[in-house]
Each structure stands twice: as C-alpha cells, then as structure tokens.
Amino acid sequence: MIFQVLYIGCSDSRVPESVVTASKPGDIFVHRNIANQFHPDDDSALSVLTYAVAHVGVQHVILVGHTNCGGAQACHAAAHSPSDAHASDDALGRWLAPLTEIAKEHTDLTALVEANVRSQVANIVQTDVITAAWAQGKDVEVHGWVYELETGRLRDLGISYTESKFLLG
C-alpha cells in the first residue's frame, strides 16, 4: 500500500477521516489528536510526519479542523473568561495553551477553527521534515481544510503550500 496523503485531524469521533474524505481504511495515513494540533516540539506528531514524508513518501499533508470543535470551544471559553478559572496546568491545559492564545483574538468559533488550521499548517511547513523534503526535491504539499459538521462537506481554506509558494511567502 502506498499512501499519498497524511491526514492530521481531531480526535473527535464525529469526524473520522474515512468518512470525511470518503476513503477506505488503509487509503490514507492518519494522525489525530485533540483540536488537530501540530506542536513543533511534539515528538509523536513529528514522528508521524517524518515517517509519512521521508519513508512512506506522501505527497499531501492535510491538516483538517472541524466546526463545533470541543477543544476550540474550551479554548474560546478559557480565553474569554473574566478570570483564569478555566486556565489549567495539567496535560490538557498545556496541550491546548497555544489554541487558547489564538482564541484571545477571535470571538467567533468558526473563525477560531479556521485560525487554528492556519496556525497548525504554518507549524507544519516550518518543520525540518518539510523543509528537508523540499530541499531534496520531494513534491510535498501542505494543505489546510475545515470539515463542516453541519453540511458534511470539506472546505479548502486556500492555504496550500508547496516549496515554491513557501519560499515566495
């Protein structure tokens, strides 16, 4: 089996990648976590990205967020709380801290989901994995999409990166 796609999405059971992409089990390589985060220091995500790009040879890395995301909702609530009552230093709080920071700039939940996708795509394209792949001439594209639970449709946010688009800014 040759995977062409690495799908990075949310752990939410309402958005299984096989349903979202209309693919069969085994068609795509997958990494899922709470609120579809890609932290630059997360060894799990970096290991998946490394394996997918360097060893499997995927050509498309797709970061997919979704509307009505519970993680985004929690971060939005924490960011707009009059106190630090929602702030947490446990594993979940640390995991969601970057999204909580993004949430401070957004009042609309859909806009927050979209901003999160943009931020995670930016994190992916700045990894050594992607920059090394591009330096080696590998044809790898990184995309950001949002799955709309209300309609069952994927929406391309138009933030796809190739080596040339990344270098041009």
Side-chain angles (χ1 to χ4, degrees):
M1 172 63 57
I2 298 176
F3 298 101
Q4 293 185 353
V5 172
L6 168 58
Y7 176 102
I8 301 172
C10 185
S11 298
D12 191 321
S13 64
R14 298 174 295 170
V15 288
E17 65 285 340
S18 58
V19 172
V20 170
T21 62
S23 61
K24 297 177 188 156
D27 284 351
I28 57 179
F29 200 64
V30 177
H31 182 71
R32 291 172 64 176
N33 62 58
I34 297 171
N36 47 274
Q37 299 293 285
F38 194 95
H39 297 186
D41 60 351
D42 175 16
D43 282 344
S44 177
L46 285 169
S47 296
V48 169
L49 183 64
T50 300
Y51 184 72
V53 172
H55 301 284
V56 175
V58 299
Q59 295 175 326
H60 300 275
V61 177
I62 306 170
L63 189 291
V64 183
H66 68 93
T67 56
N68 297 310
C69 177
Q73 289 171 343
C75 293
H76 186 269
H80 297 283
S81 173
S83 69
D84 285 340
H86 294 285
S88 174
D89 193 35
D90 62 5
L92 181 59
R94 290 188 304 273
W95 180 256
L96 292 175
L99 180 52
T100 301
E101 285 300 311
I102 295 169
K104 291 177 180 178
E105 302 170 13
H106 298 278
T107 56
D108 178 72
L109 189 57
T110 299
L112 173 57
V113 166
E114 292 172 0
N116 182 45
V117 169
R118 285 185 189 87
S119 179
Q120 304 319 311
V121 166
N123 287 345
I124 293 167
V125 298
Q126 293 174 32
T127 63
D128 291 343
V129 176
I130 295 297
T131 58
W134 288 338
Q136 295 166 8
K138 291 186 178 181
D139 184 22
V140 179
E141 298 179 23
V142 182
H143 313 277
W145 298 349
V146 170
Y147 179 69
E148 297 176 344
L149 285 172
E150 305 80 4
T151 64
R153 295 185 182 199
L154 279 170
R155 184 165 39 92
D156 185 346
L157 295 181
I159 52 172
S160 296
Y161 285 92
T162 60
E163 177 186 18
S164 60
K165 183 175 179 185
F166 182 71
L167 293 175
L168 295 174

